[in-house]
Structure formats: C-alpha cells, structure tokens
C-alpha cells in the first residue's frame, strides 16, 4: 500500500533508509571479519557506501518536497492555467553523485509552455549539475592548475566523476555572473548610491594600486588583463632595522578584467567605494609608470597621493648605471647607490641633473631621464616615508601573480578571452575573501530567491506576490550589505528558508515514486480513452 499522507511518507522514507543502513552495517561487519583490512581500506569502503546511501537520502528528501497529490493545474507566466500532464524523471548530478527526481509536468494550452514546478522549488535544472556541486567545481576550477586536475581532485575528495568541460563550464559561468555584478561604465548613479552604504570600516588611509599582466588568448594573442587592489596597511618597527617602519598590506581585495583602461577605471572606483573611499581620510594610489594607471588616478581618485613604485624607479637608475659604466664596472654599483640615496631623500632634481650629464650614453639614460621627468611629483619618497606611507606597489604585482599568472599562465596554456577573464574574476573574489558573497549572489541571480528574501526582511507580510517596491528593497539590500552583514543576511535567509520549507512544503508532504507512476498511468489511460 502506498503511503498518501505526509506522516506516512516520512515514515516510509525513515524505514527504507534505516533498513538500508542496517543492511550496510551487516555487510560491512561480515566483510571485516572475513579477512584483514587496513584502516585505509575500511575508510574508503565506508565512504563509498555512505555516499551511495547519501544519494538515496537526497533523492528521497527531494521527492518529499513535492505535493502528495499533484494539483490539477498551476499558474502559467502567460496568465492562463497549465494543466497537469504526467510525472517525469529528471537526472541531476549532485555532491553525492547522480540522482533521479520524479516531478509533475504541467502544460499550458494557451502558450504551449511546459513547466515542472518542483524544479523551480528545489532550484535545479534537469540533466544538469546541482548548485552545490557547481560551487565546488568552480572553486576547484579556479584554484587547481588545470580543469583536468580539478576533476581528479574532485573525484578523490567526493568520489564524484565529472568531465573537465563541466569544471570549465561551472567556473566560467560563475565568473561571468561575478563580472556582471561589477559596475558598467555608464551606471554612474547606481554605484554612488550603493557606495554610501557599502563603505564598511572608515579606514584612515586607503591604498589603491593597479597593474597589467599578459595572458595568451586564442583570438588576440598575448593580451593584458588589468588588475586592481584596494587595501589598508599595518605598520610596525622592523626587527632587523629598528630605524625603519615595516608597512604591510592587509585586508586586500581585488578586481580584474580584460578591458580598456576607461572601463577598468570605473570598476576599480566601484571597488574603492565599497572599501570606504568616501570615508577615508587619505587615499594613496601606487603604480608603475604606465600612463593608464595615472589617467585612472586623475579621473577617479583626484584627491589621492600619487606614488610611483620605488622598485620601478630604482630599476631605471640601475639600467642607466649599466649604460654609463658598463655591467662589470665597480663604478656602476657605487654610482647607482649614490643616486638611490638621493632619490630616497627625495632629491629627484639632483638625480635628474646627474642623469642629464650622461645624456649621450644612450637609450637607458634617456629612458631614465624621461621617466624621472614625467613622474617627478610622484617621487617625493622622503616625505612619503616621513608620513609612514608605503612606497612599493608590491601588492599589485603579487595580485597579478595570484589572480592571473599562477592559473592562466601554466605551460602551453592558451585561453578563450571570456574564459580567461572569468577564471581570473573567480580568483579575485576568492582571494578577496568574498566567496560566500559570490555564491549568495549566484543564488539570488538564478532563481526564486528574491521572493523568499523579501519574506525574510518582512516576516509579518502574508502576501505571496512581490511589489516593485519590495523588489527594490531587496536590490538595495543586496547592494548595501557589507561583507559581514551580507554573510549574516545569507545565514538568516538560509535559516528562514529551512523554517519555511518545513512549514509550507514539509519534508513530510512527499509522495512515492510508485504513486507518481500510478497517477501517470491513470492520466495516460484517460487520454487514451478520450482519443478512442
Ligand atoms: Zn501559458
């Protein structure tokens, strides 16, 4: 007899799962007693069997989410009613491997659109991967050396096998979604609104640094991905040289994109706003000599202190020293150190005069002259040091390595432009410690989270529909949330959904596969009778 009440269906699932667990334990016990096994053998064996059991439990719980008796019709987006047709099976690959879910299929006679309400409720796509598995794939796809390696790691960790293309797809899909989260050049008003709310701490000093790094692309050859980094610093006295301050970057966050400087400027500006640009007492822009960096600084951070990276500036002097004295000469080092001392003391004019006297010694001297002339106002290192400012753009270079080089520049790698950008963006969110936020945004974008979120915000509201105003509340909330607030919000949302799920659908309002098949057969019989 098929259980038809919620309680009976729950009880049926409990009994089935308990029986399977009992059988499993008995089988394992006799397997253990038959011959000797190592702990590793036992672990692997148990994990594999528990995974299979877990997959059955997930499928069973999903079937409980459906109504015991499918309603004869549901609303269609066209405004008409879609009529119940039959039960259909969906395959989904989950964290516990592939599972099958039976669900009701409805068809609208007016617009010929079909739908499976349970798919929307459980937020999955038939024939695809679950959101939880996709999250893991994106994480591995962005952090392992290659998509193929990611499949190996996944299989070792979860015993689930997927193709390298599935990893690529999940990673790039998340990357594209995250890129869309960042501002478009035209949307001047929106960032400003959200900026006020997203400034979390009010740091005294905000550092902004940027750089470019090349990746090999199919369509365009070697192309530059731009990388930006916003951070605060922490200073302490250098142990080895107590006269010096050791200034370290902390709480760095990153943006990256394969785009022109103009668009990238807006993107970085938005990130700086999120990091408290408007509430910072001081803003420092650090970079090498690339023109686009200083154009962005002028346009988006006009009140910032501009500092040319100390190490790039030094490099020009060393190159000039080689041109003047020759690589092997001991004079080379002596001269360079003298000039570096002047530079360290902020005496750029004296360095320039010295370089001027060696002008005829060729390209390297001319390059140094031009660099020092152009960036003279960004090289007041003595004053920067006196104020405790960082003078090296190491954070930008390390960002380039971490976001791009470490993953996109493995031997022989050539990327599609969109894939390279997407993977770098996923890494940027991960390294900015915004993974949870990224995954939450993905959920919000994809499916019916919005309505539920409104209900979390307004727990007393009984209305099921969502007004435009409510929608804008949600959108504002999303934009406003600081990292901490957002995590709290996500947690509250999940808790509320769980609570709601219990009340509204009840894990206990499930129905069994046999029952569904029976209903499907009855419908078929009916339609055959009509046809006859
Ligand atoms: Zn319709």
């Amino acid at each position: 007899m098929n259980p038809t009440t919620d309680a009976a269906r729950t009880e049926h699932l409990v009994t089935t799962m308990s029986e399977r667990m009992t059988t499993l334990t008995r089988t394992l016990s006799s397997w253990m007693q038959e011959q000797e096994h190592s702990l590793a053998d036992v672990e692997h064996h148990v994990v594999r069997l528990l995974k299979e059991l877990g997959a059955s439990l997930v499928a069973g719980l999903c079937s409980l989410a459906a109504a015991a008796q499918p309603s004869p019709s549901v609303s269609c987006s066209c405004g008409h009613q879609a009529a119940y047709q039959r039960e259909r099976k969906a395959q989904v690959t989950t964290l516990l491997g592939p599972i099958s879910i039976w669900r009701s299929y409805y068809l609208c006679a007016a617009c010929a659109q079909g739908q499976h309400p349970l798919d929307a409720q459980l937020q999955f796509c038939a024939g695809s991967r679950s959101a939880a598995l996709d999250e893991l794939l994106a994480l591995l796809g962005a952090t392992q050396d290659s998509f193929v390696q990611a499949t190996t790691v996944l299989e070792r960790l979860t015993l689930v096998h997927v193709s390298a293309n599935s990893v690529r797809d999940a990673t790039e899909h998340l990357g594209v979604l995250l890129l869309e989260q960042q501002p478009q050049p035209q949307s001047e008003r929106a960032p400003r609104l959200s900026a006020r709310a997203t400034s979390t701490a009010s740091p005294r000093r905000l550092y902004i640094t940027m750089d470019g790094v090349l990746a090999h692309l199919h369509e365009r050859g070697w192309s530059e991905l731009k990388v930006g980094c916003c951070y605060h610093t922490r200073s302490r006295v250098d142990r080895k040289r107590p006269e010096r301050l050791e200034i370290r970057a902390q709480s760095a966050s990153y943006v990256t994109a394969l785009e022109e400087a103009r668009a990238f400027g807006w993107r970085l500006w938005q990130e700086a706003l999120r990091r408290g640009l408007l509430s910072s007492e001081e803003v420092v822009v650090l970079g090498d000599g690339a023109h686009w960096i200083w154009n962005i600084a002028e346009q988006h951070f006009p009140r910032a202190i501009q500092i040319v990276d100390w190490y790039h500036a030094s490099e020009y002097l060393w190159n000039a020293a080689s041109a003047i004295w020759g690589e092997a000469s001991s004079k080379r080092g002596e001269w360079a150190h003298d000039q570096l001392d002047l530079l360290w003391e902020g005496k750029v004019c004296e360095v320039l005069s010295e370089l001027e006297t060696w002008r005829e010694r060729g390209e390297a001297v001319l390059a140094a002259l031009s660099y020092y002339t152009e960036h003279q106002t960004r090289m007041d290192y003595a004053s920067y040091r006196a104020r405790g400012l960082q003078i090296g753009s190491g954070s930008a270079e390390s960002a380039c390595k971490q976001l791009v080089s470490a993953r996109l520049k493995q031997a022989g790698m050539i990327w599609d432009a969109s894939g390279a950008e997407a993977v770098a963006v996923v890494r940027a969110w991960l390294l900015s410690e915004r993974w949870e936020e990224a995954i939450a945004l993905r959920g919000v974008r994809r499916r019916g989270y919005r309505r539920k979120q409104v209900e979390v915000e307004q727990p007393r509201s009984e209305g099921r529909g969502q007004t435009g105003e409510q929608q804008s509340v949600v959108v504002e909330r999303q934009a406003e949330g600081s990292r901490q607030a957002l995590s709290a919000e996500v947690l509250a949302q999940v808790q509320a959904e769980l609570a709601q799920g219990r009340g509204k659908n009840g894990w206990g309002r499930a129905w069994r596969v046999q029952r569904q098949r029976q209903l499907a057969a009855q419908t078929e019989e009916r339609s055959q009778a009509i046809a006859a």
Side-chain angles (χ1 to χ4, degrees):
M1 208 180 102
N2 296 320
T4 48
T5 66
D6 289 353
R9 290 190 309 157
T10 306
E11 205 44 49
H12 180 80
L13 181 62
V14 170
T15 312
T16 313
M17 293 309 299
S18 307
E19 279 168 5
R20 288 190 62 176
M21 188 65 199
T22 308
T23 314
L24 181 75
T25 312
R26 283 192 204 291
T27 316
L28 283 171
S29 302
S30 40
W31 171 76
M32 201 65 197
Q33 282 157 349
E34 272 165 22
Q35 62 187 93
E36 286 181 6
H37 299 285
S38 68
L39 173 60
D41 277 349
V42 178
E43 283 174 284
H44 286 135
H45 215 63
V46 170
V47 166
R48 190 173 57 77
L49 293 170
L50 283 182
K51 181 204 148 213
E52 282 165 18
L53 200 63
S56 304
L57 182 58
V58 171
L61 291 173
C62 286
S63 74
L64 289 186
Q69 300 286 341
S71 62
S73 66
V74 295
S75 306
C76 176
S77 57
C78 76
H80 291 87
Q81 289 288 305
Y84 175 76
Q85 303 296 306
R86 61 185 175 275
E87 293 306 304
R88 283 171 115 185
K89 188 164 78 169
Q91 292 276 357
V92 194
T93 310
T94 69
L95 276 179
L96 293 149
I99 61 166
S100 300
I101 300 173
W102 282 91
R103 72 271 204 254
S104 311
Y105 174 60
Y106 292 83
L107 187 65
C108 173
C111 71
Q113 285 248 40
Q115 58 167 305
H116 302 92
L118 191 63
D119 295 18
Q121 188 187 323
L122 293 174
Q123 302 174 17
F124 76 92
C125 293
S128 184
R129 303 171 303 263
S130 71
L133 178 61
D134 261 2
E135 177 188 345
L136 198 52
L137 294 188
L139 185 63
L140 291 173
T143 53
Q144 298 303 305
D145 284 351
S146 68
F147 295 125
V148 173
Q149 193 182 77
T151 63
T152 312
V153 174
L154 179 83
E155 196 160 353
R156 295 305 295 172
L157 290 176
T158 65
L159 304 179
V160 175
H161 176 76
V162 298
S163 69
N165 267 338
S166 297
V167 181
R168 180 197 307 275
D169 178 65
T171 314
E172 293 184 0
H173 189 73
L174 178 61
V176 169
L177 284 172
L178 294 178
L179 262 173
E180 285 170 8
Q181 294 300 323
Q182 291 173 349
Q184 296 305 305
Q186 303 83 359
S187 59
E188 237 175 290
R189 192 171 161 269
R192 209 163 276 161
L193 273 177
S194 57
R196 206 173 36 234
T198 53
S199 310
T200 50
S202 60
R204 205 176 76 78
R205 197 175 265 163
L206 176 71
Y207 285 85
I208 299 162
T209 177
M210 54 203 115
D211 205 350
V213 57
L214 297 177
H216 199 179
L217 306 182
H218 281 301
E219 308 91 331
R220 325 180 201 169
W222 288 95
S223 308
E224 187 182 62
L225 274 142
K226 292 187 173 60
V227 172
C229 173
C230 297
Y231 60 98
H232 304 143
T233 50
R234 191 187 49 191
S235 313
R236 64 173 190 193
V237 175
D238 195 325
R239 279 191 199 137
K240 287 178 191 157
R241 287 179 293 180
E243 75 281 4
R244 282 201 178 184
L245 260 189
E246 188 189 11
I247 305 169
R248 293 205 159 191
Q250 63 175 14
S251 53
S253 62
Y254 307 92
V255 289
T256 182
L258 189 69
E259 63 194 2
E260 293 303 314
R262 191 178 154 274
F264 186 74
W266 287 101
R267 191 179 296 281
L268 183 57
W269 177 68
Q270 169 77 0
E271 178 59 13
L273 287 176
R274 195 185 69 83
R275 295 301 308 274
L277 177 69
L278 303 183
S279 55
S280 300
E281 287 169 29
E282 241 176 12
V283 180
V284 182
V285 174
L286 264 162
D288 63 20
H291 287 115
W292 65 267
I293 293 177
W294 303 111
N295 290 340
I296 287 178
E298 296 291 344
Q299 188 189 349
H300 294 287
F301 312 108
R303 70 185 178 98
I305 303 162
Q306 299 184 0
I307 304 178
V308 153
D309 171 53
W310 166 260
Y311 302 96
H312 278 85
S314 314
E315 212 173 11
Y316 275 88
L317 271 181
W318 280 105
N319 291 343
S322 299
I324 297 168
W325 304 102
E327 289 287 347
S329 165
S330 62
K331 276 275 191 182
R332 171 181 176 268
E334 203 178 303
W335 182 87
H337 282 296
D338 285 348
Q339 302 312 309
L340 284 173
D341 285 347
L342 289 173
L343 191 63
W344 187 253
E345 295 306 328
K347 297 172 180 164
V348 189
C349 288
E350 291 180 34
V351 177
L352 273 169
S353 314
E354 176 66 17
L355 283 168
E356 198 64 53
T357 62
W358 298 102
R359 180 178 266 280
E360 76 287 356
R361 289 300 175 98
E363 280 298 314
V365 180
L366 292 176
L369 263 172
S370 143
Y371 192 85
Y372 278 70
T373 309
E374 185 182 348
H375 298 297
Q376 193 169 356
T377 55
R378 303 181 179 119
M379 292 182 175
D380 191 4
Y381 295 115
S383 128
Y384 306 147
R385 286 189 297 113
R387 295 163 69 180
L389 295 173
Q390 203 174 44
I391 57 173
S393 64
S395 298
E397 279 148 41
S398 127
C400 287
K401 267 187 211 138
Q402 292 188 79
L403 300 192
V404 181
S405 307
R407 176 64 179 90
L408 303 185
K409 292 171 87 166
Q410 301 280 338
M413 277 185 178
I414 306 180
W415 292 78
D416 290 333
S418 57
E421 190 179 38
V423 169
V425 169
V426 173
R427 288 174 72 83
W429 280 67
L430 183 64
L431 288 167
S432 306
E433 294 182 24
R434 299 180 74 191
W435 185 256
E436 201 179 346
E437 202 180 329
I439 295 304
L441 286 167
R442 181 187 68 154
V444 169
R445 288 187 59 79
R446 270 188 179 168
R447 302 174 248 255
Y449 265 66
R450 285 193 167 187
R451 179 176 57 77
K452 291 180 180 176
Q453 204 167 17
V454 167
E455 286 162 5
V456 174
E457 295 302 324
Q458 305 172 337
R460 290 193 192 92
S461 160
E462 296 297 321
R464 312 308 283 176
Q466 187 181 19
T467 66
E469 198 187 336
Q470 282 171 322
Q471 258 176 13
S472 69
V473 166
V474 176
V475 173
E476 286 256 336
R477 287 273 167 187
Q478 285 159 12
E480 277 172 24
S482 66
R483 188 161 78 220
Q484 294 83 346
L486 212 138
S487 325
E489 201 171 278
V490 170
L491 196 66
Q493 179 186 322
V494 172
Q495 284 167 344
E497 277 174 20
L498 283 174
Q500 194 186 41
R502 260 181 235 119
K504 198 180 73 185
N505 309 309
W507 296 114
R509 215 194 284 174
W511 59 332
R512 286 178 53 202
V513 170
Q514 289 96 315
R515 176 74 187 136
Q516 297 177 46
R517 286 187 180 141
Q518 242 176 26
L519 285 166
Q522 283 168 10
T523 314
E524 201 125 302
E525 275 166 29
R526 267 204 303 276
S527 51
Q528 275 167 4
I530 291 165

